[in-house]
Amino acid sequence: MLAIHSLFVASLAISSSYAKLAWKDTKFLFTFGDSYTTDGFNISAGVNSPVPGFKTSSNGPNWVQALGSTFNVAGTKVFNLASGGATIDAKLVTPFEPTVLSIVDQVTQFHQFLAPKPAGAQWSSNNSLFAFWIGINDVGNSFSWTNVSQSQFHTVLMNRLTTQLDQLYADGARSFLFLTVPPTDRAPLILQQGPAVVAQIKPALADYNQQLRTTAQKFQAKHRDIQTAIVFDTQPVFNTLLDNAKTFGFVNTTGFCEAYQNGTPSQTTQTLPCAPVSNYFWLNSLHPLFTVHSSLALSIATTLST
């Protein structure tokens, strides 16, 4: 696969009268989200519990792990609280199984284990970034509902997300990064359901992402001492890679190899007649490979550095 040195990045950096936290000065990164973000770390087992290898949905390092390794310029320590299948609140959108930790649960864990700033996690308000990538399952599980308008329901979701942001603010968080939902209308899971379903989810994604931007703006307006509240748009990164698949070395952007869908022994595994796993965009019906995550992490690091 060709190395990706630069991509068009669209992000919303909300202005603040306080000094913005630069990536080079970020000593702690706390991440919240779903299967696109989790790496299997379990904070309830202790602050210094090891990350269990690449227990990700990307068959290799995901965007959080790439930020914590390849693009780590400040010795940033990462605490990843994400949970595969997560929604904002399980009472609003039910996850695929009851053991999944929603954003509400993840923030509760932060409050319990990390807000006290224990040894090994002695963070401060001016050196810590709180990153959220959530909404893939919220939109994916609700876009077909007919008992409520999507826009109205997304407002309910955003109000619930805001209560969690307020909790983190009360715990001392002052710098935030929000990732928009990527173009999952281009994922095999949706494409296989036909053009009518694609046409139905696409405006739902757009509305959710716009409401996320508005939520970030309102949150910072309410708390004037917030240093950073960036909404990073993941869609241009995904769309650039998908639209220029051949240039970036992808052999398939609309499907996946069934032999790889549950992960492979290595990042270069090949099972004929499929191409090597690293040449696919999608590992399975919904999750992009580590190569996509690496490109995303590079774009995020660049945005946080400018």
Side-chain angles (χ1 to χ4, degrees):
M1 170 162 292
L2 296 177
I4 302 168
H5 298 291
S6 63
L7 290 169
F8 171 73
V9 176
S11 63
L12 172 64
I14 304 171
S15 60
S16 170
S17 59
Y18 292 81
K20 174 186 171 184
L21 176 62
W23 182 234
K24 66 180 179 63
D25 300 317
T26 303
K27 298 300 182 182
F28 292 90
L29 173 64
F30 301 101
T31 55
F32 307 81
D34 52 34
S35 59
Y36 276 47
T37 298
T38 187
D39 59 11
F41 176 71
N42 181 11
I43 186 61
S44 65
V47 169
N48 295 314
S49 300
V51 176
F54 292 127
K55 192 176 180 181
T56 67
S57 66
S58 58
N59 207 48
N62 65 16
W63 69 280
V64 175
Q65 293 175 321
L67 284 176
S69 56
T70 305
F71 306 112
N72 192 338
V73 296
T76 304
K77 190 167 185 178
V78 179
F79 290 95
N80 192 339
L81 304 179
S83 177
T87 58
I88 291 173
D89 187 338
K91 293 180 180 179
L92 296 174
V93 180
T94 306
F96 74 99
E97 59 182 25
T99 56
V100 172
L101 300 179
S102 68
I103 290 296
V104 172
D105 298 320
Q106 294 170 36
V107 171
T108 297
Q109 283 196 330
F110 176 86
H111 182 70
Q112 179 181 355
F113 296 105
L114 293 167
K117 303 177 182 179
Q122 294 169 314
W123 62 278
S124 66
S125 297
N126 62 3
N127 70 2
S128 303
L129 180 65
F130 293 74
F132 286 79
W133 198 4
I134 195 67
I136 295 170
N137 298 310
D138 292 276
V139 176
N141 293 348
S142 69
F143 77 95
S144 62
W145 292 356
T146 58
N147 62 333
V148 64
S149 80
Q150 288 305 303
S151 186
Q152 288 176 329
F153 183 63
H154 294 161
T155 299
V156 173
L157 291 174
M158 289 300 107
N159 288 340
R160 190 63 175 126
L161 178 61
T162 298
T163 65
Q164 303 312 296
L165 300 178
D166 285 338
Q167 177 61 65
L168 291 174
Y169 176 87
D171 286 335
R174 292 297 182 271
S175 295
F176 296 84
L177 169 69
F178 305 94
L179 277 64
T180 66
V181 176
T184 52
D185 56 297
R186 302 183 70 173
L189 177 66
I190 301 299
L191 292 176
Q192 291 167 1
Q193 297 179 59
V197 174
V198 173
Q200 187 178 14
I201 194 174
K202 195 165 186 177
L205 294 169
D207 181 80
Y208 179 94
N209 286 339
Q210 183 54 51
Q211 291 209 35
L212 179 63
R213 296 182 182 95
T214 301
T215 296
Q217 290 175 320
K218 289 181 177 179
F219 179 64
Q220 186 164 26
K222 182 170 64 174
H223 303 293
R224 300 305 301 178
D225 59 337
I226 289 178
Q227 299 174 7
T228 303
I230 293 176
V231 178
F232 178 92
D233 193 351
T234 66
Q235 295 228 357
V237 176
F238 274 64
N239 286 330
T240 296
L241 294 174
L242 288 166
D243 292 343
N244 300 278
K246 187 174 181 180
T247 299
F248 293 119
F250 296 114
V251 298
N252 189 324
T253 59
T254 59
F256 58 94
C257 176
E258 291 187 2
Y260 305 151
Q261 63 181 325
N262 295 316
T264 62
S266 77
Q267 296 171 7
T268 58
T269 294
Q270 181 174 15
T271 301
L272 295 175
C274 295
V277 61
S278 59
N279 288 101
Y280 285 79
F281 187 96
W282 302 102
L283 177 65
N284 47 42
S285 64
L286 185 62
H287 300 101
L289 276 148
F290 64 92
T291 47
V292 178
H293 280 263
S294 179
S295 299
L296 183 67
L298 170 59
S299 296
I300 291 171
T302 301
T303 297
L304 293 175
S305 299
T306 56

